[in-house]
Amino acid sequence: MMFPMAGEQALLTGLDEEQRAAVLAARGPVCVLAGAGTGKTRTITHRIAHLVGLGHVAAGQVLAVTFTQRAAGELRGRLRTLDAEAQTGTGVGAVQALTFHAAARRQLRYFWPRVIGGSWELLDSKFAVVAQAAARARIQTSTDDVRDLAGEIEWAKASLITPEQYAQAVAKSTRDVPMDAEKVATVYAGYENLKARNETHLLDFDDLLLHTAAAIENDAAVAEEFRDRYRCFVVDEYQDVTPLQQRVLQAWLGPRDDLTVVGDANQTIYSFTGATPQFLLDFSRRFPDATVVRLERDYRSTPEVVSLANRVIANARGRVAGSRLHLVGQRDPGPEPVFSEHTDEVAEAAAVARSIRKLVDSGTPAAEIAVLYRINAQSEVYEEALTEAGVAFQVRGGEGFFSRQEIRQALLALQRAPEPVLGAELPAAVRELLEPLGLTAQPPTGTRARERWEALDALADLVDEEVALRPELDLAGLVAELRLRADARHPPVVQGVTLASLHAAKGLEWDAVFLVGLTDGTLPISHALAHGPDSEAVEEERRLLYVGITRARVHLALSWALARAPGGRQGRKPSRFLSGLNPHAPAVESGSRSRRPKPGNARCRICNQRLTTPTAVMLRRCETCAADVDDELLAQLKDWRSRTCKELKVPAYVVFSDNTLIAIAESLPTDDAALVAIPGIGSRKLEQFGPDVLDLVRARK
């Protein structure tokens, strides 16, 4: 049934000029570049209704895909509402709106008996099979190792990388891997073999996509039946598709071009999962006749928030930056974003909690306020501050700090410690007790292992804070105090302030947003800086900040702390992404051009041979290659380390290993960027020891 004229006009009512252009674009390839808050969901649904209403396609022949169940549900709800409001009887509410995986699962259930035969079972979790594959390969793994291996397998499959290709692919990338790439590849191959040997075919979520694509690609009858069923495709958040998802989409389409994609390359923040904006960026090359529409009118945020977002992304570099959209705020003016610098993280959190308390007292619902941070381990100090301020909160996309498994294990380990420990010895003793749980001298490379390390590191810093405030504490008293803190936390409540990582905040919005912990080494995070100040990893960190800013409707606050704990060395710097945007940051982004070798791809700076041992990577040369070492500086560094260890009551390696000192004496770094480029020196050590080391190096020049 086709739209009556009145129905079509009603469909276009309330759309701006660009949205209307996207809705009315002829059937065929359409690319909608939609900035944050520009009404992309409204545009998508109205375009579908327009195509259905004019009889170009039946509602049941439209497949709209997105990346989360929440987004798919919102699309379905909008379509049903639009159908009811238009009163056209076209049945647009019958459009299929699903995630990629849900769509593939439905299709595979239908086609599997014909294509392969037998039955299959969905593997909800890879953990047990990955652990079994590692054990069969005689590779010792912890729980975190298994989770990281599962993550690597997911990334590889999403990137269409086979076990045989894995090691080479990692060597060419800037990806941090949890263990030797050849071992990961071995576990990956073993995992695939174990699934195949099962009496009932075991399929993981990536297999749903792989088998769906293969069924359509390799069976002409299947392809014909599917393509007769679905004629028109819409893809939301197209900047987040993986090569595997693109392969499925191409199989769905075949030689046709009835495709509408919507996305914003400058909101690409999930590359660690295999997502890539290249398909969005290359859309006009693949479809030279495509209609391209830019949505830049921002209806979400005030002009003040929009202006800051534009200024942040204006400094972006690389190909993605070339597609940036210049947002234009459509709301009434509001307050200017607030920038604030604090002495330490506790002071920063307390100030944020006070500001939130004022907003709540003045009428802003707590559920319309969010505190966003880079890593989940940052939540603890804000949970504490909001609890003290009497403000309810909920932690989104993760457990509360004291609810995390590693923190519960840590408290249990401290409680079971056999010998009493007092006063100044307590912080060092705690770190020693936490080391077997994952608090190593340097953060590990695996994602899950790094998250565990960050949480334990935050707990150790909390211990430092407690001992500084109460020097008389013994271990039993410390554990009692930590458990009191854990028990005092508000349980998650729907109407509370949201605490979330920047990644978990994607797709959400609030009246007031507090972006916290904005220091170099945290945002951009240190392991992104390790790839160089101009790397794509750093650019993705910039996009994270951009996404965070564009979550705010009215109130926006950005803050950072000069030290981690009260009384600590105030050596932190505001995020380089804030350069020129606030009175505290330098006028230009700082950092030398020093680059840390990419994992698995490091070469000797003397003979150019590939480096294969951790020591060689740290020294950035073969262990057998001669190098100029400033012996006097090396002696001074060792003397400084000895004094520092005595002051902190920690072993020498906790400060710097011998190889790290040798690397410093060889490379003679003169600024923070050059120092952090040396493997073994992360943001925490840069903050704690960097000024002393740089003073020694500069004195030698």
Side-chain angles (χ1 to χ4, degrees), residues 421-426 465-478 481:
V421 185
L422 299 172
E425 300 175 357
L426 197 51
E465 177 189 333
E466 285 294 331
V467 172
L469 293 172
R470 298 173 58 189
E472 75 282 2
L473 270 180
D474 61 8
L475 187 55
L478 172 67
E481 178 61 30

Side-chain angles (χ1 to χ4, degrees), residues 29-33 67 100 157-160 235-250 253 259-265 268 273-287 290 292 319-320 323:
V30 175
C31 178
V32 182
L33 300 175
F67 288 84
F100 269 100
K157 296 180 77 167
S159 303
L160 296 177
V235 185
D236 190 16
E237 302 287 3
Y238 193 51
Q239 78 278 352
D240 289 332
V241 296
T242 65
L244 174 54
Q245 288 164 336
Q246 178 62 27
R247 178 181 167 186
V248 172
L249 178 60
Q250 190 56 55
L253 275 171
L259 171 65
T260 299
V261 300
V262 185
D264 177 5
T268 305
T273 67
T276 171
Q278 78 175 71
F279 304 113
L280 177 65
L281 296 173
D282 291 342
F283 192 83
S284 293
R285 295 182 185 177
R286 286 183 288 119
F287 300 103
V292 179
R319 188 185 175 200
V320 172
S323 69

Side-chain angles (χ1 to χ4, degrees), residues 370-383:
V371 178
L372 306 182
Y373 35 75
R374 177 59 180 85
I375 59 175
N376 287 322
Q378 291 173 270
S379 75
E380 190 280 330
V381 69
Y382 293 94
E383 295 176 42

Side-chain angles (χ1 to χ4, degrees), residues 413-437:
L414 297 182
Q415 184 176 324
R416 292 175 174 173
E419 297 179 5
V421 185
L422 299 172
E425 300 175 357
L426 197 51
V430 166
R431 282 176 167 78
E432 185 175 343
L433 289 168
L434 296 183
E435 184 175 352
L437 298 180

Side-chain angles (χ1 to χ4, degrees), residues 80-92:
R80 285 193 297 267
T81 300
L82 191 60
D83 205 12
E85 290 177 349
Q87 296 181 345
T88 61
T90 55
V92 72

